[in-house]
Amino acid sequence: MDFNDTPQEAEYRAKARAWLEDNAAEYREPPETAWKLDEFIQRSKAWQAKKFAAGYTGITWPKAFGGQGLGPMQSIIYGQEESRFHAPSGLYSIGLGMCIPTVFTHGSAEIAERYVPKALVGDEVWCQLFSEPSAGSDLAGIRTRAVQDGDEWVIDGQKVWTSFAHASDYGIVVTRTDPSVPKHKGLTMFIVDMKAPGVEVRGIKQMSGGSDFNEVFFTGVRVKDTHRLGDVGNGWKVALTTLMHERLAVGGKPRHAPGYETLMKLARGVEAPVGGPAIEAGDVRQRIAQSYINDQGIKLTQMRALSALSRGQMPGPEQSISKVVVAKTMQEMASFALDLAGGDGFVTGADGDPELAKLQGSYLGAAGLRIAGGTDEILRNIIAERVLGLPGDLRPDKDKPFNAAA
Protein backbone atom coordinates (compact mmCIF):
# COMPACT_ATOMS: atom_id res chain seq x y z
CA MET A 1 0.00 0.00 0.00
CA ASP A 2 1.59 3.28 -1.15
CA PHE A 3 0.12 6.38 0.50
CA ASN A 4 2.05 8.82 -1.69
CA ASP A 5 0.61 10.61 -4.73
CA THR A 6 1.77 9.53 -8.16
CA PRO A 7 3.41 12.35 -10.19
CA GLN A 8 0.10 12.90 -12.01
CA GLU A 9 -1.86 12.98 -8.73
CA ALA A 10 0.66 15.36 -7.16
CA GLU A 11 0.29 17.70 -10.14
CA TYR A 12 -3.52 17.65 -9.82
CA ARG A 13 -3.30 18.27 -6.05
CA ALA A 14 -1.00 21.27 -6.56
CA LYS A 15 -3.35 22.73 -9.16
CA ALA A 16 -6.43 22.26 -6.93
CA ARG A 17 -4.63 23.64 -3.88
CA ALA A 18 -3.54 26.76 -5.76
CA TRP A 19 -7.07 27.34 -7.06
CA LEU A 20 -8.55 26.99 -3.57
CA GLU A 21 -5.98 29.37 -2.10
CA ASP A 22 -7.08 31.97 -4.65
CA ASN A 23 -10.82 31.34 -4.55
CA ALA A 24 -11.74 30.02 -1.08
CA ALA A 25 -9.76 32.47 1.06
CA GLU A 26 -12.93 33.80 2.75
CA TYR A 27 -13.67 30.24 3.97
CA ARG A 28 -10.29 29.60 5.57
CA GLU A 29 -11.88 29.88 9.04
CA PRO A 30 -15.36 28.70 10.11
CA PRO A 31 -18.07 31.40 10.34
CA GLU A 32 -18.28 33.03 13.76
CA THR A 33 -22.02 32.30 13.85
CA ALA A 34 -23.93 29.70 11.83
CA TRP A 35 -25.38 31.05 8.59
CA LYS A 36 -29.16 31.44 8.35
CA LEU A 37 -30.80 29.19 5.74
CA ASP A 38 -31.16 31.94 3.10
CA GLU A 39 -27.53 32.99 3.40
CA PHE A 40 -26.39 29.35 3.45
CA ILE A 41 -28.27 28.64 0.20
CA GLN A 42 -27.01 31.84 -1.43
CA ARG A 43 -23.39 31.11 -0.49
CA SER A 44 -23.74 27.43 -1.49
CA LYS A 45 -25.03 28.31 -4.96
CA ALA A 46 -22.31 30.89 -5.52
CA TRP A 47 -19.60 28.43 -4.41
CA GLN A 48 -21.00 25.63 -6.59
CA ALA A 49 -21.10 27.91 -9.66
CA LYS A 50 -17.51 28.94 -9.03
CA LYS A 51 -16.37 25.32 -8.75
CA PHE A 52 -18.28 24.41 -11.93
CA ALA A 53 -16.59 27.18 -13.90
CA ALA A 54 -13.18 25.93 -12.75
CA GLY A 55 -13.90 22.26 -13.55
CA TYR A 56 -14.12 20.97 -9.98
CA THR A 57 -17.66 19.52 -10.11
CA GLY A 58 -18.66 16.13 -11.49
CA ILE A 59 -14.97 15.22 -11.55
CA THR A 60 -15.59 11.49 -12.15
CA TRP A 61 -18.72 11.89 -14.27
CA PRO A 62 -18.69 11.19 -18.03
CA LYS A 63 -17.97 14.24 -20.18
CA ALA A 64 -21.21 13.50 -22.06
CA PHE A 65 -23.08 14.60 -18.93
CA GLY A 66 -20.95 17.68 -18.29
CA GLY A 67 -18.47 15.94 -16.01
CA GLN A 68 -14.68 16.02 -16.18
CA GLY A 69 -14.18 12.35 -17.10
CA LEU A 70 -11.38 11.93 -14.53
CA GLY A 71 -10.73 9.11 -12.06
CA PRO A 72 -11.93 8.73 -8.45
CA MET A 73 -8.48 9.66 -7.09
CA GLN A 74 -8.79 13.15 -8.62
CA SER A 75 -12.19 13.52 -6.96
CA ILE A 76 -10.78 12.39 -3.62
CA ILE A 77 -7.76 14.66 -3.92
CA TYR A 78 -9.96 17.67 -4.61
CA GLY A 79 -12.17 16.73 -1.64
CA GLN A 80 -9.14 16.46 0.63
CA GLU A 81 -7.90 19.88 -0.42
CA GLU A 82 -11.33 21.51 -0.13
CA SER A 83 -11.72 20.03 3.38
CA ARG A 84 -8.91 22.37 4.50
CA PHE A 85 -11.46 25.18 4.12
CA HIS A 86 -14.98 25.74 5.45
CA ALA A 87 -16.65 26.36 2.09
CA PRO A 88 -20.44 25.70 1.95
CA SER A 89 -20.63 22.51 -0.13
CA GLY A 90 -22.98 20.38 2.02
CA LEU A 91 -26.17 21.52 0.25
CA TYR A 92 -25.14 19.57 -2.88
CA SER A 93 -23.54 16.52 -1.25
CA ILE A 94 -26.69 14.37 -1.53
CA GLY A 95 -27.82 15.59 -4.94
CA LEU A 96 -24.48 15.37 -6.70
CA GLY A 97 -23.12 12.54 -4.59
CA MET A 98 -26.11 10.18 -4.78
CA CYS A 99 -29.16 11.42 -6.72
CA ILE A 100 -27.74 12.65 -10.02
CA PRO A 101 -25.47 9.59 -10.58
CA THR A 102 -28.67 7.53 -10.19
CA VAL A 103 -30.48 9.80 -12.67
CA PHE A 104 -27.89 9.50 -15.45
CA THR A 105 -27.35 5.80 -14.80
CA HIS A 106 -31.03 4.77 -14.89
CA GLY A 107 -32.89 7.67 -16.56
CA SER A 108 -33.41 8.28 -20.28
CA ALA A 109 -31.03 10.45 -22.30
CA GLU A 110 -33.69 13.20 -22.42
CA ILE A 111 -34.10 13.15 -18.64
CA ALA A 112 -30.33 13.28 -18.07
CA GLU A 113 -30.00 16.19 -20.51
CA ARG A 114 -32.77 18.09 -18.69
CA TYR A 115 -31.57 17.64 -15.09
CA VAL A 116 -27.84 16.90 -14.89
CA PRO A 117 -26.40 20.21 -16.19
CA LYS A 118 -28.58 22.36 -13.88
CA ALA A 119 -27.58 20.24 -10.89
CA LEU A 120 -23.89 20.45 -11.76
CA VAL A 121 -23.84 24.23 -11.92
CA GLY A 122 -25.89 24.44 -8.71
CA ASP A 123 -29.08 25.95 -10.15
CA GLU A 124 -31.20 23.08 -8.78
CA VAL A 125 -30.91 21.28 -5.43
CA TRP A 126 -31.86 17.61 -4.94
CA CYS A 127 -32.86 15.39 -2.01
CA GLN A 128 -33.17 11.62 -1.50
CA LEU A 129 -36.60 10.36 -0.39
CA PHE A 130 -35.98 6.86 0.97
CA SER A 131 -36.59 6.44 4.74
CA GLU A 132 -40.12 6.09 6.13
CA PRO A 133 -41.53 5.99 9.69
CA SER A 134 -41.96 2.20 9.49
CA ALA A 135 -39.00 1.50 7.18
CA GLY A 136 -35.67 3.09 7.98
CA SER A 137 -32.68 0.95 7.22
CA ASP A 138 -35.04 -1.77 5.95
CA LEU A 139 -35.60 0.20 2.77
CA ALA A 140 -37.46 -2.69 1.11
CA GLY A 141 -40.19 -2.32 3.78
CA ILE A 142 -41.49 1.04 2.50
CA ARG A 143 -45.24 1.69 2.17
CA THR A 144 -45.39 4.89 0.07
CA ARG A 145 -47.27 3.71 -3.00
CA ALA A 146 -47.42 4.75 -6.64
CA VAL A 147 -50.37 3.75 -8.85
CA GLN A 148 -50.25 4.14 -12.64
CA ASP A 149 -52.93 6.34 -14.24
CA GLY A 150 -52.40 6.54 -18.01
CA ASP A 151 -48.98 8.03 -18.71
CA GLU A 152 -48.69 9.29 -15.13
CA TRP A 153 -48.21 7.79 -11.66
CA VAL A 154 -50.01 8.96 -8.52
CA ILE A 155 -47.94 8.89 -5.31
CA ASP A 156 -49.34 8.78 -1.74
CA GLY A 157 -47.39 8.23 1.47
CA GLN A 158 -44.81 9.69 3.83
CA LYS A 159 -41.02 9.92 3.99
CA VAL A 160 -38.92 11.01 6.95
CA TRP A 161 -35.35 12.15 7.78
CA THR A 162 -35.07 13.75 4.33
CA SER A 163 -32.05 16.04 4.44
CA PHE A 164 -32.51 19.51 2.87
CA ALA A 165 -36.00 18.66 1.51
CA HIS A 166 -37.00 22.20 2.53
CA ALA A 167 -34.36 23.63 0.19
CA SER A 168 -34.69 21.15 -2.68
CA ASP A 169 -36.16 21.58 -6.13
CA TYR A 170 -36.29 17.87 -7.02
CA GLY A 171 -35.87 14.49 -5.37
CA ILE A 172 -35.61 10.81 -6.17
CA VAL A 173 -38.34 8.81 -4.45
CA VAL A 174 -38.65 5.04 -4.09
CA THR A 175 -42.24 3.76 -4.04
CA ARG A 176 -44.16 0.50 -3.81
CA THR A 177 -45.92 -0.24 -7.10
CA ASP A 178 -46.82 -3.91 -6.53
CA PRO A 179 -47.61 -5.12 -2.99
CA SER A 180 -48.48 -8.64 -4.21
CA VAL A 181 -44.85 -9.69 -4.76
CA PRO A 182 -41.94 -10.05 -2.24
CA LYS A 183 -40.87 -6.71 -0.79
CA HIS A 184 -37.69 -6.32 -2.85
CA LYS A 185 -39.50 -6.92 -6.18
CA GLY A 186 -42.42 -4.47 -6.04
CA LEU A 187 -40.53 -1.16 -5.89
CA THR A 188 -40.16 1.57 -8.52
CA MET A 189 -38.20 4.84 -8.38
CA PHE A 190 -39.17 8.23 -9.79
CA ILE A 191 -37.95 11.81 -10.05
CA VAL A 192 -40.37 14.07 -8.19
CA ASP A 193 -40.80 17.86 -8.33
CA MET A 194 -40.61 19.03 -4.71
CA LYS A 195 -42.82 22.05 -5.58
CA ALA A 196 -45.56 19.90 -7.18
CA PRO A 197 -49.15 20.05 -5.80
CA GLY A 198 -49.59 17.49 -3.00
CA VAL A 199 -45.99 17.65 -1.71
CA GLU A 200 -45.79 18.94 1.87
CA VAL A 201 -42.47 19.39 3.69
CA ARG A 202 -42.40 19.68 7.49
CA GLY A 203 -39.14 20.48 9.24
CA ILE A 204 -37.85 18.36 12.13
CA LYS A 205 -36.24 20.28 15.00
CA GLN A 206 -33.06 18.47 16.02
CA MET A 207 -31.66 18.32 19.55
CA SER A 208 -28.56 20.14 18.26
CA GLY A 209 -30.78 23.15 17.46
CA GLY A 210 -30.52 22.64 13.71
CA SER A 211 -33.33 21.64 11.34
CA ASP A 212 -31.67 19.98 8.34
CA PHE A 213 -34.08 17.00 8.30
CA ASN A 214 -37.72 16.88 7.28
CA GLU A 215 -40.87 14.84 7.04
CA VAL A 216 -42.28 14.82 3.50
CA PHE A 217 -45.92 13.94 2.79
CA PHE A 218 -47.24 12.93 -0.66
CA THR A 219 -50.97 13.31 -1.30
CA GLY A 220 -52.04 12.45 -4.85
CA VAL A 221 -48.76 13.71 -6.30
CA ARG A 222 -48.60 13.13 -10.05
CA VAL A 223 -45.37 12.13 -11.81
CA LYS A 224 -44.99 11.47 -15.54
CA ASP A 225 -43.91 7.99 -16.57
CA THR A 226 -40.99 9.63 -18.42
CA HIS A 227 -39.63 10.48 -14.95
CA ARG A 228 -39.39 6.84 -13.89
CA LEU A 229 -35.84 5.62 -13.18
CA GLY A 230 -35.37 2.03 -14.34
CA ASP A 231 -38.06 -0.53 -15.08
CA VAL A 232 -41.30 -0.88 -13.13
CA GLY A 233 -40.63 -3.19 -10.18
CA ASN A 234 -36.86 -2.76 -10.51
CA GLY A 235 -36.57 0.02 -7.92
CA TRP A 236 -34.53 -2.07 -5.49
CA LYS A 237 -31.68 -2.45 -7.98
CA VAL A 238 -31.91 1.26 -8.84
CA ALA A 239 -31.80 2.12 -5.13
CA LEU A 240 -28.65 0.04 -4.73
CA THR A 241 -26.91 2.49 -7.09
CA THR A 242 -27.85 5.32 -4.74
CA LEU A 243 -26.98 3.34 -1.59
CA MET A 244 -23.56 2.40 -2.95
CA HIS A 245 -22.74 6.09 -3.38
CA GLU A 246 -24.30 6.89 0.04
CA ARG A 247 -22.24 4.34 1.94
CA LEU A 248 -19.06 5.69 0.31
CA ALA A 249 -20.07 9.26 1.13
CA VAL A 250 -20.85 8.69 4.82
CA GLY A 251 -18.18 6.06 5.50
CA GLY A 252 -15.44 8.48 6.44
CA LYS A 253 -14.97 10.94 9.25
CA PRO A 254 -16.93 14.19 8.71
CA ARG A 255 -14.92 17.20 7.69
CA HIS A 256 -13.59 19.24 10.62
CA ALA A 257 -14.76 16.64 13.17
CA PRO A 258 -12.75 16.79 16.43
CA GLY A 259 -10.05 14.17 16.94
CA TYR A 260 -7.57 13.02 19.54
CA GLU A 261 -5.70 16.32 19.13
CA THR A 262 -8.81 18.10 20.46
CA LEU A 263 -8.80 15.85 23.54
CA MET A 264 -5.11 16.53 24.19
CA LYS A 265 -5.59 20.29 23.97
CA LEU A 266 -8.59 20.13 26.31
CA ALA A 267 -6.83 17.84 28.82
CA ARG A 268 -3.88 20.23 29.05
CA GLY A 269 -6.22 23.08 30.04
CA VAL A 270 -8.38 21.46 32.73
CA GLU A 271 -7.43 20.24 36.20
CA ALA A 272 -7.79 16.63 37.32
CA PRO A 273 -9.82 15.93 40.54
CA VAL A 274 -6.58 14.95 42.29
CA GLY A 275 -4.84 18.12 41.12
CA GLY A 276 -2.55 18.90 38.22
CA PRO A 277 -3.39 18.98 34.49
CA ALA A 278 -5.83 16.25 33.46
CA ILE A 279 -3.48 15.10 30.72
CA GLU A 280 -1.15 13.76 33.44
CA ALA A 281 -3.84 11.42 34.83
CA GLY A 282 -3.43 7.80 33.76
CA ASP A 283 -7.10 7.15 32.92
CA VAL A 284 -7.29 10.32 30.81
CA ARG A 285 -4.14 9.39 28.90
CA GLN A 286 -5.57 5.91 28.29
CA ARG A 287 -8.80 7.34 26.82
CA ILE A 288 -6.84 9.70 24.58
CA ALA A 289 -4.64 6.81 23.43
CA GLN A 290 -7.75 4.78 22.56
CA SER A 291 -9.11 7.71 20.52
CA TYR A 292 -5.77 7.91 18.67
CA ILE A 293 -5.89 4.15 17.93
CA ASN A 294 -9.45 4.45 16.61
CA ASP A 295 -8.54 7.46 14.44
CA GLN A 296 -5.57 5.61 12.95
CA GLY A 297 -7.72 2.52 12.29
CA ILE A 298 -10.28 4.66 10.46
CA LYS A 299 -7.53 6.36 8.47
CA LEU A 300 -5.97 3.05 7.41
CA THR A 301 -9.34 1.54 6.46
CA GLN A 302 -10.01 4.57 4.29
CA MET A 303 -6.54 4.19 2.77
CA ARG A 304 -7.50 0.64 1.82
CA ALA A 305 -10.52 2.02 -0.03
CA LEU A 306 -8.35 4.66 -1.74
CA SER A 307 -5.86 2.00 -2.81
CA ALA A 308 -8.72 0.01 -4.40
CA LEU A 309 -9.91 3.11 -6.22
CA SER A 310 -6.41 3.93 -7.48
CA ARG A 311 -6.27 0.42 -9.01
CA GLY A 312 -9.59 0.98 -10.77
CA GLN A 313 -11.54 -1.18 -8.29
CA MET A 314 -14.60 -0.28 -6.25
CA PRO A 315 -14.25 -0.45 -2.45
CA GLY A 316 -15.97 -3.53 -1.07
CA PRO A 317 -18.32 -4.05 1.89
CA GLU A 318 -15.39 -3.53 4.27
CA GLN A 319 -16.12 0.19 3.88
CA SER A 320 -18.97 -0.41 6.34
CA ILE A 321 -16.34 -0.89 9.07
CA SER A 322 -15.32 2.78 8.83
CA LYS A 323 -18.91 3.95 9.15
CA VAL A 324 -19.54 1.86 12.29
CA VAL A 325 -16.28 2.88 13.97
CA VAL A 326 -16.43 6.59 13.01
CA ALA A 327 -19.91 7.22 14.45
CA LYS A 328 -19.25 5.31 17.68
CA THR A 329 -15.83 6.89 18.17
CA MET A 330 -17.16 10.41 17.61
CA GLN A 331 -19.93 9.93 20.15
CA GLU A 332 -17.71 8.34 22.81
CA MET A 333 -14.87 10.83 22.33
CA ALA A 334 -17.16 13.86 22.52
CA SER A 335 -18.92 12.43 25.60
CA PHE A 336 -15.58 11.94 27.36
CA ALA A 337 -14.40 15.43 26.38
CA LEU A 338 -17.55 17.10 27.75
CA ASP A 339 -17.20 15.13 31.00
CA LEU A 340 -13.58 16.26 31.17
CA ALA A 341 -14.67 19.90 30.79
CA GLY A 342 -16.92 19.60 33.87
CA GLY A 343 -19.63 22.25 34.18
CA ASP A 344 -18.23 24.19 31.20
CA GLY A 345 -19.21 21.24 29.00
CA PHE A 346 -22.87 22.20 29.45
CA VAL A 347 -22.45 25.89 28.58
CA THR A 348 -23.77 26.74 25.13
CA GLY A 349 -24.58 29.88 23.20
CA ALA A 350 -22.71 32.71 21.52
CA ASP A 351 -20.53 33.34 24.60
CA GLY A 352 -19.48 29.69 24.97
CA ASP A 353 -16.05 28.27 24.16
CA PRO A 354 -15.93 27.58 20.37
CA GLU A 355 -13.90 24.38 20.93
CA LEU A 356 -16.46 23.06 23.43
CA ALA A 357 -19.27 24.09 21.08
CA LYS A 358 -17.62 21.95 18.40
CA LEU A 359 -17.50 18.98 20.80
CA GLN A 360 -21.12 19.51 21.82
CA GLY A 361 -22.13 19.54 18.15
CA SER A 362 -20.14 16.38 17.55
CA TYR A 363 -21.79 14.61 20.50
CA LEU A 364 -25.32 15.56 19.46
CA GLY A 365 -24.69 14.92 15.76
CA ALA A 366 -23.03 11.52 16.19
CA ALA A 367 -26.32 9.95 17.31
CA GLY A 368 -27.79 10.75 13.89
CA LEU A 369 -24.68 9.56 12.12
CA ARG A 370 -25.21 6.13 13.71
CA ILE A 371 -28.51 5.95 11.78
CA ALA A 372 -27.73 7.78 8.53
CA GLY A 373 -26.62 5.60 5.63
CA GLY A 374 -27.53 2.41 7.51
CA THR A 375 -27.80 1.81 11.24
CA ASP A 376 -25.00 0.18 13.21
CA GLU A 377 -27.06 -3.04 13.26
CA ILE A 378 -27.53 -3.14 9.47
CA LEU A 379 -23.85 -2.44 8.83
CA ARG A 380 -22.75 -5.08 11.34
CA ASN A 381 -24.89 -7.57 9.43
CA ILE A 382 -23.13 -6.55 6.20
CA ILE A 383 -19.71 -6.94 7.84
CA ALA A 384 -20.66 -10.32 9.33
CA GLU A 385 -22.10 -11.78 6.14
CA ARG A 386 -20.07 -10.16 3.35
CA VAL A 387 -16.70 -9.47 5.00
CA LEU A 388 -16.39 -12.27 7.57
CA GLY A 389 -18.47 -14.83 5.65
CA LEU A 390 -20.71 -15.70 8.60
CA PRO A 391 -24.19 -17.24 8.03
CA GLY A 392 -26.87 -14.81 6.89
CA ASP A 393 -29.40 -13.25 9.26
CA LEU A 394 -32.82 -14.91 9.46
CA ARG A 395 -35.26 -13.11 7.08
CA PRO A 396 -38.65 -14.87 7.31
CA ASP A 397 -40.42 -12.24 5.12
CA LYS A 398 -37.89 -12.23 2.28
CA ASP A 399 -39.84 -14.45 -0.16
CA LYS A 400 -43.41 -13.69 0.99
CA PRO A 401 -45.71 -11.25 -0.86
CA PHE A 402 -45.37 -7.85 0.83
CA ASN A 403 -49.12 -7.55 1.54
CA ALA A 404 -49.10 -11.01 3.16
CA ALA A 405 -46.01 -10.42 5.31
CA ALA A 406 -46.87 -6.91 6.49
Side-chain angles (χ1 to χ4, degrees), residues 153-204:
W153 293 79
V154 182
I155 301 177
D156 289 278
Q158 179 190 355
K159 299 291 179 178
V160 72
W161 308 123
T162 307
S163 301
F164 294 122
H166 55 312
S168 292
D169 301 289
Y170 296 95
I172 55 173
V173 58
V174 63
T175 65
R176 184 162 302 283
T177 50
D178 186 356
S180 67
V181 297
K183 62 181 184 179
H184 290 85
K185 296 181 179 179
L187 306 176
T188 306
M189 191 182 291
F190 300 93
I191 295 171
V192 63
D193 181 348
M194 294 299 291
K195 306 294 191 300
V199 177
E200 181 186 358
V201 178
R202 299 179 189 171
I204 297 174

Side-chain angles (χ1 to χ4, degrees), residues 12 19 44-63 65-71 74-75 78-79 82 88-89 92 96-97 100 104 116-123:
Y12 187 84
W19 183 82
S44 298
K45 292 197 170 189
W47 178 240
Q48 183 68 19
K50 186 179 282 190
K51 288 201 299 183
F52 174 77
Y56 290 117
T57 59
I59 293 172
T60 61
W61 295 7
K63 290 185 177 180
F65 297 123
Q68 303 301 313
L70 299 176
Q74 280 70 31
S75 180
Y78 177 78
E82 192 187 71
S89 57
Y92 296 98
L96 299 183
I100 298 300
F104 68 64
V116 176
K118 287 182 179 294
L120 257 183
V121 74
D123 284 348

